[in-house]
Amino acid sequence: MNDNRSTYTRLRSSFGQQVREAVIDVIERYEAQQAAAQNAVTSSTLVALSDDYEDATTDQDRAMIAVAVADGITLAEAGRIRRAAKAIELGTPGLIVRATAAGMTPNEIARELGATPSYVRRILRENPGLVTAAAKARQTTAD
């Protein structure tokens, strides 16, 4: 009888240890997921980063922001951000043309983009077909 009790006690202890380990594992995974979600790169965190970078007044301030960003994201996230930035860069002429059609000046557009007015004018010069189409579309909606 004593032998059965000691076997039962060992099994119970072993089972209890397995349950404790499983619960701890679940909690650790949950905490890791929550930490990842808090550090996830979202459009709002990118806007905040952009605002911080724009507000930085020295190259040293910008470098500190860049280091903080590099420390806070994964390589995969950096790749996604770079691809998104490239897509925005490729779409910038269309954005400039639409803004011009909406009545914004090259200086206003440049200020919003963080570009120079000459860059905006060059884009408009290089895309006369888009400018004409946008002006016609604006005229049609105004009528």
Side-chain angles (χ1 to χ4, degrees), residues 46-69:
L46 290 176
V47 168
L49 168 63
S50 173
D51 290 344
D52 289 347
Y53 196 83
E54 183 178 12
D55 292 343
T57 56
T58 66
D59 288 341
Q60 184 177 2
D61 290 342
R62 289 185 190 93
M64 287 174 39
I65 291 168
V67 168
V69 167

Side-chain angles (χ1 to χ4, degrees), residues 124-135:
L124 293 171
R125 239 187 352 266
E126 291 174 356
N127 293 283
L130 286 177
V131 174
T132 303

Side-chain angles (χ1 to χ4, degrees), residues 41-42 44 67 80 104 118 122:
V41 177
T42 64
S44 60
V67 168
R80 284 194 299 275
M104 289 181 75
S118 63
R122 180 173 58 85

Side-chain angles (χ1 to χ4, degrees), residues 81-138:
I81 293 167
R82 287 179 54 87
R83 287 186 293 280
K86 187 65 174 175
I88 291 169
E89 181 182 333
L90 293 172
T92 298
L95 293 170
I96 291 172
V97 169
R98 281 199 333 252
T100 300
M104 289 181 75
T105 68
N107 287 349
E108 292 168 331
I109 297 168
R111 195 172 317 113
E112 284 293 315
L113 286 177
T116 63
S118 63
Y119 168 76
V120 172
R121 287 187 196 90
R122 180 173 58 85
I123 295 297
L124 293 171
R125 239 187 352 266
E126 291 174 356
N127 293 283
L130 286 177
V131 174
T132 303
K136 285 181 183 177
R138 183 173 181 217

